[in-house]
Amino acid sequence: MSRTQPAASAALHRSAFGIVEDGPSSGSFAAMGADPRYRGVLDVATVLTDRTLAGTCHAWLDDASGVVALEPVATDPRHRRLGHARAAIHAALSAARDAGATRARVCARADEDLSAATFYAGVGFRPRARTVHLVR
């Protein structure tokens, strides 16, 4: 496990989510790191032997409620289904528990992609609520 660097995190997330334009940049990840609520110990990555990022999990802990939110979680498409996201999530949850977290949540777009819901259920999460997108 490792802590992420802004440029590498931005590139990984653009690749993981198929974002070509207007996606996360090294600047947006650097800004995230400058946020007073950001805790580097909760920012976890899996790194290959060549030092390439394979997966990341960023966790945000609310001290008042004890809830840690995992957002975003991503895996490079070339390294999916090898346990990178699972390992990063478990490491982030462990660090969050050490920092005082008592509950965890993740907001997945499971309505659009059932594989996300299946994956998070396999990591121990269960559905709590659903979001309905309305357009006009």
Side-chain angles (χ1 to χ4, degrees):
M1 292 300 141
S2 175
R3 303 296 172 236
T4 62
Q5 297 299 314
S9 286
L12 177 92
H13 283 81
R14 285 191 305 271
S15 176
F17 297 111
I19 301 169
V20 178
E21 295 180 20
D22 298 326
S25 65
S26 57
S28 61
F29 272 88
M32 180 176 80
D35 187 303
R37 298 166 295 171
Y38 175 81
R39 300 181 198 191
V41 70
L42 302 180
D43 184 2
V44 180
T46 60
V47 181
L48 303 175
T49 56
D50 68 358
R51 302 178 80 177
T52 301
L53 282 185
T56 63
C57 178
H58 303 276
W60 299 85
L61 177 60
D62 178 58
D63 290 317
S65 67
V67 175
V68 65
L70 306 183
E71 170 61 32
V73 177
T75 303
D76 184 310
R78 298 170 296 177
H79 306 294
R80 287 191 177 143
R81 305 192 63 76
L82 298 173
H84 293 288
R86 180 180 301 274
I89 287 170
H90 284 298
L93 289 175
S94 177
R97 191 172 31 256
D98 291 347
T102 57
R103 293 177 293 160
R105 72 178 179 95
V106 63
C107 297
R109 293 185 176 186
D111 289 340
E112 298 170 15
D113 182 1
L114 292 178
S115 65
T118 302
F119 168 76
Y120 288 115
V123 180
F125 287 88
R126 58 181 166 63
R128 180 171 180 258
R130 290 178 64 116
T131 301
V132 176
H133 298 272
L134 305 170
V135 296
R136 180 175 170 191

